[in-house]
Amino acid sequence: MNDHQYIREVILSRPLPEDSYLRGLPAVQHLMKNRSLPLTKAVTFFVGENGTGKSTLIEAVAAAYGFNPEGGSKNFHFSTNQSHSELWKYLTLSKSSFPKDGFFLRAESFYNVASNIDELDQDTLLAPPLLNSYGGVSLHRQSHGESFLALVQNRFWGNGLYIMDEPEAALSPTRILTLMVELQALTKKASQFIIATHSPILMSFPGAQVYEFTQGGIRAVDYRETEHYQLTRRFLENPEKMFRYLFEE
């Protein structure tokens, strides 16, 4: 793997307001204590339970880099719902170089990105059509999973910074493996990925850096040490035992 980082470190460069709700997030508390989070690999995963702040942090990193908070490239400027936090205003990103390409894929607002692409293509001044860069077919005319992969396979050109929030949300296990093949090909083209995920399959990507977000903060782990992996393995090995525990009255 070509370990190429466009972002080498995420730094909390100034204090958050005393009354900010962000101070209650374990991920933010970790940054307040340690000041920074180093990124040392071409692929970095943020893994952890809901509420630990991994999506908030990855969204803030994307916004701090200049991506549209709802998703897209730096050329996307639409806004349908101002739901992102202001954490990005307090971050500094240590950069080694500048990518030629980049994209922020956010599962929960991907519909809005697809709609914006269709709207931009209605502008007759765009030639060739913007949609050509996304496989030539409206992302709305494909299944959720197909549209995710169409984006990665057609729009991610390499030499890029790609930030992804739960890309597995629409993908079957087979399609997650397909996504991993695309990640491997793109890392060989000097690309960097920062990905928030719940998928034990995806986080096993060879050579990746895995940060587990817990109530106690953020720690670097092997993916086999994550609660996601261990719980999934225990369940698949003996689902009957797990059900007896879960459904015990």
Side-chain angles (χ1 to χ4, degrees):
M1 180 185 297
N2 180 11
D3 286 344
H4 193 107
Q5 291 84 44
Y6 297 104
I7 300 177
R8 292 193 175 275
E9 193 173 16
V10 179
I11 303 165
L12 186 65
S13 54
R14 60 193 182 96
L16 290 159
E18 291 294 333
D19 61 350
S20 174
Y21 78 94
L22 293 167
R23 285 175 168 266
L25 295 177
V28 176
Q29 291 174 351
H30 177 93
L31 288 177
M32 291 170 61
K33 179 180 178 180
N34 298 277
R35 188 173 176 266
S36 70
L37 186 69
L39 307 180
T40 63
K41 300 291 184 180
V43 178
T44 300
F45 290 112
F46 291 174
V47 179
E49 275 300 322
N50 299 328
T52 53
K54 64 184 185 303
S55 289
T56 299
L57 181 56
I58 206 166
E59 175 190 87
V61 171
Y65 202 85
F67 291 116
N68 180 19
E70 289 191 48
S73 70
K74 286 188 174 183
N75 294 325
F76 282 63
H77 303 293
F78 71 92
S79 176
T80 58
N81 183 14
Q82 294 286 346
S83 62
H84 60 287
S85 76
E86 294 195 347
L87 179 59
W88 67 274
K89 297 179 180 179
Y90 300 87
L91 297 181
T92 297
L93 306 178
S94 175
K95 305 170 186 176
S96 61
S97 59
F98 293 93
K100 296 180 180 179
D101 188 32
F103 205 93
F104 176 32
L105 172 59
R106 187 181 178 193
E108 68 179 54
S109 56
F110 185 69
Y111 179 93
N112 301 335
V113 173
S115 297
N116 189 240
I117 292 169
D118 285 350
E119 290 168 4
L120 291 172
D121 253 1
Q122 293 175 5
D123 185 346
T124 57
L125 298 179
L126 289 176
L130 179 64
L131 202 59
N132 287 353
S133 297
Y134 295 84
V137 178
S138 170
L139 298 177
H140 281 313
R141 294 178 60 188
Q142 305 176 58
S143 73
H144 203 184
E146 289 174 330
S147 63
F148 268 41
L149 283 178
L151 172 70
V152 175
Q153 292 172 330
N154 295 285
R155 173 56 186 79
F156 289 16
W157 301 320
N159 294 100
L161 172 66
Y162 305 108
I163 301 176
M164 309 171 80
D165 188 13
E166 300 181 10
E168 77 278 4
L171 301 178
S172 70
T174 299
R175 295 306 189 191
I176 290 175
L177 295 176
T178 301
L179 174 61
M180 294 170 77
V181 172
E182 298 298 331
L183 296 186
Q184 174 70 356
L186 285 161
T187 57
K188 290 181 177 180
K189 296 180 180 178
S191 296
Q192 179 184 8
F193 287 86
I194 307 172
I195 304 173
T197 184
H198 291 290
S199 170
I201 297 175
L202 186 56
M203 70 179 72
S204 71
F205 185 83
Q209 180 175 45
V210 179
Y211 279 124
E212 185 171 41
F213 289 52
T214 68
Q215 292 301 318
I218 305 172
R219 65 187 186 112
V221 298
D222 181 273
Y223 77 94
R224 298 175 186 86
E225 300 176 47
T226 64
E227 183 178 354
H228 287 17
Y229 174 85
Q230 293 181 10
L231 180 60
T232 301
R233 180 176 179 178
R234 287 199 301 269
F235 178 83
L236 293 176
E237 287 178 346
N238 195 340
E240 293 80 11
K241 181 179 179 180
M242 186 69 73
F243 285 136
R244 287 197 298 271
Y245 172 77
L246 291 173
F247 302 155
E248 184 179 24
E249 297 182 359

Short mmCIF file of all heavy atoms in Angstrom, two decimals, residues 101 103 105 110 133-135 139 142 145-158 162-164 167 171 175 178-186 189 193 195:
data_model
loop_
_atom_site.label_atom_id
_atom_site.label_comp_id
_atom_site.label_asym_id
_atom_site.label_seq_id
_atom_site.Cartn_x
_atom_site.Cartn_y
_atom_site.Cartn_z
N ASP A 101 -7.83 15.46 -6.34
CA ASP A 101 -9.24 15.09 -6.33
C ASP A 101 -9.70 14.98 -4.87
O ASP A 101 -8.87 14.92 -3.95
CB ASP A 101 -9.44 13.75 -7.05
CG ASP A 101 -10.91 13.39 -7.25
OD1 ASP A 101 -11.73 14.32 -7.40
OD2 ASP A 101 -11.24 12.19 -7.24
N PHE A 103 -13.54 14.07 -2.24
CA PHE A 103 -14.99 13.93 -2.14
C PHE A 103 -15.34 13.55 -0.70
O PHE A 103 -14.60 12.83 -0.04
CB PHE A 103 -15.50 12.83 -3.07
CG PHE A 103 -16.94 12.99 -3.50
CD1 PHE A 103 -17.25 13.65 -4.67
CD2 PHE A 103 -17.98 12.48 -2.72
CE1 PHE A 103 -18.57 13.81 -5.08
CE2 PHE A 103 -19.29 12.63 -3.11
CZ PHE A 103 -19.60 13.30 -4.30
N LEU A 105 -18.30 11.64 1.14
CA LEU A 105 -19.47 10.79 0.98
C LEU A 105 -20.12 10.60 2.35
O LEU A 105 -19.55 9.98 3.25
CB LEU A 105 -19.08 9.43 0.41
CG LEU A 105 -20.18 8.35 0.37
CD1 LEU A 105 -21.36 8.84 -0.46
CD2 LEU A 105 -19.63 7.05 -0.18
N PHE A 110 -26.74 11.49 1.20
CA PHE A 110 -26.34 11.17 -0.17
C PHE A 110 -27.46 11.46 -1.16
O PHE A 110 -27.20 11.83 -2.31
CB PHE A 110 -25.91 9.70 -0.26
CG PHE A 110 -25.36 9.31 -1.60
CD1 PHE A 110 -24.15 9.82 -2.04
CD2 PHE A 110 -26.06 8.45 -2.44
CE1 PHE A 110 -23.64 9.47 -3.28
CE2 PHE A 110 -25.56 8.10 -3.67
CZ PHE A 110 -24.34 8.60 -4.10
N SER A 133 -19.45 11.99 -15.17
CA SER A 133 -18.43 11.68 -14.17
C SER A 133 -18.93 10.74 -13.09
O SER A 133 -18.15 10.32 -12.22
CB SER A 133 -17.92 12.98 -13.52
OG SER A 133 -17.29 13.80 -14.46
N TYR A 134 -20.23 10.42 -13.13
CA TYR A 134 -20.82 9.55 -12.12
C TYR A 134 -21.40 8.28 -12.74
O TYR A 134 -22.26 7.64 -12.15
CB TYR A 134 -21.89 10.32 -11.35
CG TYR A 134 -21.34 11.47 -10.55
CD1 TYR A 134 -21.10 12.71 -11.15
CD2 TYR A 134 -21.00 11.33 -9.20
CE1 TYR A 134 -20.56 13.77 -10.44
CE2 TYR A 134 -20.46 12.38 -8.48
CZ TYR A 134 -20.24 13.60 -9.10
OH TYR A 134 -19.70 14.65 -8.39
N GLY A 135 -20.92 7.93 -13.92
CA GLY A 135 -21.35 6.70 -14.57
C GLY A 135 -22.36 6.88 -15.68
O GLY A 135 -22.77 5.92 -16.33
N LEU A 139 -28.01 8.97 -10.34
CA LEU A 139 -27.85 8.16 -9.13
C LEU A 139 -29.20 7.82 -8.52
O LEU A 139 -29.33 6.83 -7.78
CB LEU A 139 -26.98 8.91 -8.12
CG LEU A 139 -25.55 9.20 -8.59
CD1 LEU A 139 -24.80 10.02 -7.54
CD2 LEU A 139 -24.79 7.92 -8.91
N GLN A 142 -30.74 4.39 -9.73
CA GLN A 142 -30.08 3.17 -9.29
C GLN A 142 -30.47 2.88 -7.85
O GLN A 142 -30.95 3.76 -7.14
CB GLN A 142 -28.56 3.34 -9.39
CG GLN A 142 -28.07 3.77 -10.78
CD GLN A 142 -26.58 4.03 -10.78
OE1 GLN A 142 -25.79 3.15 -10.46
NE2 GLN A 142 -26.19 5.23 -11.16
N GLY A 145 -27.36 1.11 -2.98
CA GLY A 145 -26.04 0.50 -3.03
C GLY A 145 -25.34 0.68 -4.37
O GLY A 145 -24.14 0.95 -4.43
N GLU A 146 -26.10 0.55 -5.46
CA GLU A 146 -25.52 0.73 -6.79
C GLU A 146 -25.02 2.16 -6.97
O GLU A 146 -23.96 2.38 -7.57
CB GLU A 146 -26.58 0.41 -7.86
CG GLU A 146 -26.91 -1.06 -7.99
CD GLU A 146 -28.04 -1.30 -8.96
OE1 GLU A 146 -28.93 -0.42 -9.10
OE2 GLU A 146 -28.09 -2.39 -9.57
N SER A 147 -25.78 3.11 -6.44
CA SER A 147 -25.37 4.51 -6.61
C SER A 147 -24.10 4.81 -5.82
O SER A 147 -23.24 5.57 -6.27
CB SER A 147 -26.51 5.45 -6.19
OG SER A 147 -26.81 5.32 -4.81
N PHE A 148 -23.96 4.21 -4.63
CA PHE A 148 -22.73 4.38 -3.84
C PHE A 148 -21.53 3.89 -4.63
O PHE A 148 -20.51 4.57 -4.74
CB PHE A 148 -22.84 3.60 -2.53
CG PHE A 148 -23.40 4.39 -1.38
CD1 PHE A 148 -24.46 5.27 -1.56
CD2 PHE A 148 -22.88 4.25 -0.11
CE1 PHE A 148 -24.99 5.99 -0.51
CE2 PHE A 148 -23.40 4.96 0.97
CZ PHE A 148 -24.46 5.83 0.76
N LEU A 149 -21.65 2.67 -5.16
CA LEU A 149 -20.52 2.10 -5.89
C LEU A 149 -20.26 2.84 -7.20
O LEU A 149 -19.11 3.01 -7.61
CB LEU A 149 -20.78 0.62 -6.18
CG LEU A 149 -20.56 -0.33 -5.00
CD1 LEU A 149 -20.89 -1.76 -5.39
CD2 LEU A 149 -19.12 -0.25 -4.50
N ALA A 150 -21.33 3.32 -7.85
CA ALA A 150 -21.15 4.09 -9.08
C ALA A 150 -20.34 5.34 -8.80
O ALA A 150 -19.48 5.75 -9.60
CB ALA A 150 -22.51 4.45 -9.67
N LEU A 151 -20.60 5.96 -7.66
CA LEU A 151 -19.85 7.14 -7.27
C LEU A 151 -18.37 6.81 -7.12
O LEU A 151 -17.50 7.47 -7.67
CB LEU A 151 -20.40 7.70 -5.96
CG LEU A 151 -19.60 8.84 -5.32
CD1 LEU A 151 -19.72 10.11 -6.14
CD2 LEU A 151 -20.06 9.09 -3.89
N VAL A 152 -18.07 5.77 -6.34
CA VAL A 152 -16.68 5.41 -6.07
C VAL A 152 -15.97 4.97 -7.35
O VAL A 152 -14.83 5.37 -7.62
CB VAL A 152 -16.61 4.30 -5.01
CG1 VAL A 152 -15.17 3.83 -4.81
CG2 VAL A 152 -17.20 4.79 -3.69
N GLN A 153 -16.64 4.16 -8.15
CA GLN A 153 -16.00 3.59 -9.34
C GLN A 153 -15.83 4.58 -10.47
O GLN A 153 -14.92 4.43 -11.29
CB GLN A 153 -16.81 2.38 -9.83
CG GLN A 153 -16.78 1.20 -8.86
CD GLN A 153 -17.73 0.09 -9.24
OE1 GLN A 153 -18.78 0.33 -9.85
NE2 GLN A 153 -17.39 -1.14 -8.89
N ASN A 154 -16.68 5.61 -10.53
CA ASN A 154 -16.62 6.54 -11.65
C ASN A 154 -16.11 7.93 -11.28
O ASN A 154 -15.46 8.58 -12.10
CB ASN A 154 -18.00 6.68 -12.29
CG ASN A 154 -18.50 5.40 -12.90
OD1 ASN A 154 -18.05 5.01 -13.98
ND2 ASN A 154 -19.42 4.73 -12.23
N ARG A 155 -16.40 8.36 -10.06
CA ARG A 155 -16.06 9.73 -9.68
C ARG A 155 -14.75 9.85 -8.90
O ARG A 155 -14.09 10.89 -8.91
CB ARG A 155 -17.22 10.33 -8.88
CG ARG A 155 -16.95 11.70 -8.27
CD ARG A 155 -16.53 12.74 -9.32
NE ARG A 155 -16.14 13.99 -8.69
CZ ARG A 155 -14.96 14.20 -8.10
NH1 ARG A 155 -14.05 13.24 -8.06
NH2 ARG A 155 -14.68 15.36 -7.57
N PHE A 156 -14.34 8.79 -8.21
CA PHE A 156 -13.08 8.81 -7.47
C PHE A 156 -11.95 8.49 -8.43
O PHE A 156 -11.75 7.34 -8.82
CB PHE A 156 -13.12 7.80 -6.32
CG PHE A 156 -14.04 8.16 -5.18
CD1 PHE A 156 -15.01 9.14 -5.31
CD2 PHE A 156 -13.93 7.51 -3.96
CE1 PHE A 156 -15.87 9.47 -4.27
CE2 PHE A 156 -14.78 7.83 -2.91
CZ PHE A 156 -15.74 8.81 -3.05
N TRP A 157 -11.17 9.50 -8.78
CA TRP A 157 -10.19 9.36 -9.86
C TRP A 157 -8.78 9.03 -9.38
O TRP A 157 -7.91 8.73 -10.17
CB TRP A 157 -10.15 10.66 -10.68
CG TRP A 157 -11.48 11.01 -11.27
CD1 TRP A 157 -12.38 10.15 -11.81
CD2 TRP A 157 -12.07 12.31 -11.37
NE1 TRP A 157 -13.50 10.82 -12.24
CE2 TRP A 157 -13.34 12.16 -11.98
CE3 TRP A 157 -11.65 13.60 -11.00
CZ2 TRP A 157 -14.18 13.23 -12.24
CZ3 TRP A 157 -12.50 14.65 -11.25
CH2 TRP A 157 -13.74 14.48 -11.87
N GLY A 158 -8.53 9.11 -8.10
CA GLY A 158 -7.18 8.87 -7.59
C GLY A 158 -6.46 10.17 -7.31
O GLY A 158 -6.94 11.25 -7.65
N TYR A 162 -10.46 11.25 0.21
CA TYR A 162 -11.84 10.80 0.22
C TYR A 162 -12.27 10.53 1.66
O TYR A 162 -11.68 9.68 2.34
CB TYR A 162 -12.00 9.54 -0.64
CG TYR A 162 -11.50 9.76 -2.05
CD1 TYR A 162 -10.32 9.16 -2.49
CD2 TYR A 162 -12.18 10.59 -2.93
CE1 TYR A 162 -9.84 9.37 -3.77
CE2 TYR A 162 -11.72 10.81 -4.23
CZ TYR A 162 -10.55 10.20 -4.64
OH TYR A 162 -10.08 10.42 -5.92
N ILE A 163 -13.27 11.26 2.11
CA ILE A 163 -13.79 11.13 3.46
C ILE A 163 -15.19 10.52 3.37
O ILE A 163 -16.03 11.01 2.62
CB ILE A 163 -13.82 12.50 4.15
CG1 ILE A 163 -12.40 13.10 4.19
CG2 ILE A 163 -14.39 12.38 5.56
CD1 ILE A 163 -12.34 14.50 4.77
N MET A 164 -15.41 9.45 4.11
CA MET A 164 -16.65 8.69 3.96
C MET A 164 -17.27 8.39 5.33
O MET A 164 -16.58 7.90 6.23
CB MET A 164 -16.37 7.38 3.21
CG MET A 164 -15.59 7.58 1.91
SD MET A 164 -15.03 6.03 1.14
CE MET A 164 -16.53 5.51 0.33
N PRO A 167 -20.10 4.32 4.68
CA PRO A 167 -20.41 3.94 3.29
C PRO A 167 -21.06 2.57 3.17
O PRO A 167 -21.68 2.26 2.16
CB PRO A 167 -19.02 3.95 2.62
CG PRO A 167 -18.06 3.67 3.74
CD PRO A 167 -18.65 4.38 4.92
N LEU A 171 -24.79 -1.10 1.45
CA LEU A 171 -24.09 -2.16 0.73
C LEU A 171 -24.30 -3.53 1.37
O LEU A 171 -24.24 -3.68 2.59
CB LEU A 171 -22.59 -1.85 0.68
CG LEU A 171 -22.18 -0.54 0.01
CD1 LEU A 171 -20.67 -0.36 0.09
CD2 LEU A 171 -22.66 -0.49 -1.44
N ARG A 175 -21.01 -6.40 -1.77
CA ARG A 175 -20.68 -5.07 -2.27
C ARG A 175 -19.66 -4.36 -1.39
O ARG A 175 -18.89 -3.52 -1.87
CB ARG A 175 -21.96 -4.22 -2.39
CG ARG A 175 -22.94 -4.74 -3.43
CD ARG A 175 -22.31 -4.90 -4.79
NE ARG A 175 -23.28 -5.19 -5.82
CZ ARG A 175 -22.97 -5.58 -7.05
NH1 ARG A 175 -21.71 -5.74 -7.38
NH2 ARG A 175 -23.92 -5.81 -7.94
N THR A 178 -16.53 -5.47 -2.75
CA THR A 178 -16.26 -4.72 -3.98
C THR A 178 -15.69 -3.34 -3.66
O THR A 178 -14.75 -2.87 -4.30
CB THR A 178 -17.55 -4.57 -4.81
OG1 THR A 178 -18.06 -5.86 -5.13
CG2 THR A 178 -17.27 -3.81 -6.11
N LEU A 179 -16.27 -2.68 -2.65
CA LEU A 179 -15.76 -1.38 -2.22
C LEU A 179 -14.31 -1.48 -1.78
O LEU A 179 -13.49 -0.62 -2.10
CB LEU A 179 -16.62 -0.83 -1.08
CG LEU A 179 -16.14 0.45 -0.42
CD1 LEU A 179 -16.07 1.61 -1.41
CD2 LEU A 179 -17.04 0.82 0.76
N MET A 180 -13.97 -2.56 -1.09
CA MET A 180 -12.60 -2.74 -0.62
C MET A 180 -11.62 -2.91 -1.79
O MET A 180 -10.47 -2.45 -1.72
CB MET A 180 -12.53 -3.92 0.35
CG MET A 180 -13.30 -3.66 1.64
SD MET A 180 -13.49 -5.12 2.70
CE MET A 180 -11.86 -5.21 3.43
N VAL A 181 -12.07 -3.54 -2.84
CA VAL A 181 -11.24 -3.66 -4.05
C VAL A 181 -10.97 -2.27 -4.62
O VAL A 181 -9.84 -1.95 -5.03
CB VAL A 181 -11.92 -4.56 -5.10
CG1 VAL A 181 -11.15 -4.51 -6.43
CG2 VAL A 181 -12.00 -5.99 -4.60
N GLU A 182 -12.00 -1.43 -4.63
CA GLU A 182 -11.83 -0.06 -5.13
C GLU A 182 -10.88 0.74 -4.23
O GLU A 182 -10.05 1.52 -4.73
CB GLU A 182 -13.18 0.64 -5.23
CG GLU A 182 -14.18 -0.01 -6.18
CD GLU A 182 -13.69 -0.03 -7.62
OE1 GLU A 182 -12.92 0.88 -8.01
OE2 GLU A 182 -14.09 -0.96 -8.35
N LEU A 183 -10.99 0.55 -2.92
CA LEU A 183 -10.08 1.24 -2.00
C LEU A 183 -8.64 0.85 -2.28
O LEU A 183 -7.74 1.70 -2.28
CB LEU A 183 -10.44 0.91 -0.55
CG LEU A 183 -11.79 1.33 0.01
CD1 LEU A 183 -11.87 1.03 1.50
CD2 LEU A 183 -12.08 2.79 -0.26
N GLN A 184 -8.42 -0.44 -2.47
CA GLN A 184 -7.07 -0.91 -2.74
C GLN A 184 -6.51 -0.28 -4.01
O GLN A 184 -5.35 0.18 -4.04
CB GLN A 184 -7.07 -2.44 -2.87
CG GLN A 184 -5.76 -3.08 -3.29
CD GLN A 184 -4.68 -2.99 -2.22
OE1 GLN A 184 -4.88 -2.39 -1.17
NE2 GLN A 184 -3.53 -3.58 -2.49
N ALA A 185 -7.32 -0.24 -5.07
CA ALA A 185 -6.86 0.35 -6.33
C ALA A 185 -6.56 1.83 -6.17
O ALA A 185 -5.57 2.34 -6.71
CB ALA A 185 -7.92 0.13 -7.42
N LEU A 186 -7.39 2.54 -5.41
CA LEU A 186 -7.21 3.98 -5.26
C LEU A 186 -6.04 4.32 -4.34
O LEU A 186 -5.37 5.33 -4.55
CB LEU A 186 -8.50 4.61 -4.73
CG LEU A 186 -9.62 4.72 -5.79
CD1 LEU A 186 -10.97 4.90 -5.13
CD2 LEU A 186 -9.33 5.86 -6.75
N LYS A 189 -3.05 4.64 -6.16
CA LYS A 189 -2.99 5.89 -6.93
C LYS A 189 -2.85 7.09 -6.01
O LYS A 189 -3.40 8.15 -6.25
CB LYS A 189 -4.25 6.03 -7.79
CG LYS A 189 -4.42 4.96 -8.85
CD LYS A 189 -5.70 5.19 -9.65
CE LYS A 189 -5.91 4.14 -10.72
NZ LYS A 189 -7.18 4.35 -11.46
N PHE A 193 -7.92 7.79 2.50
CA PHE A 193 -9.30 7.62 2.93
C PHE A 193 -9.40 7.80 4.44
O PHE A 193 -8.57 7.28 5.19
CB PHE A 193 -9.82 6.23 2.56
CG PHE A 193 -10.09 6.03 1.11
CD1 PHE A 193 -9.07 5.64 0.25
CD2 PHE A 193 -11.36 6.24 0.58
CE1 PHE A 193 -9.31 5.45 -1.10
CE2 PHE A 193 -11.60 6.05 -0.77
CZ PHE A 193 -10.58 5.66 -1.62
N ILE A 195 -12.54 7.08 7.04
CA ILE A 195 -13.85 6.45 6.96
C ILE A 195 -14.40 6.15 8.35
O ILE A 195 -13.74 5.50 9.17
CB ILE A 195 -13.76 5.12 6.17
CG1 ILE A 195 -13.17 5.37 4.77
CG2 ILE A 195 -15.13 4.47 6.06
CD1 ILE A 195 -12.89 4.09 3.99
#
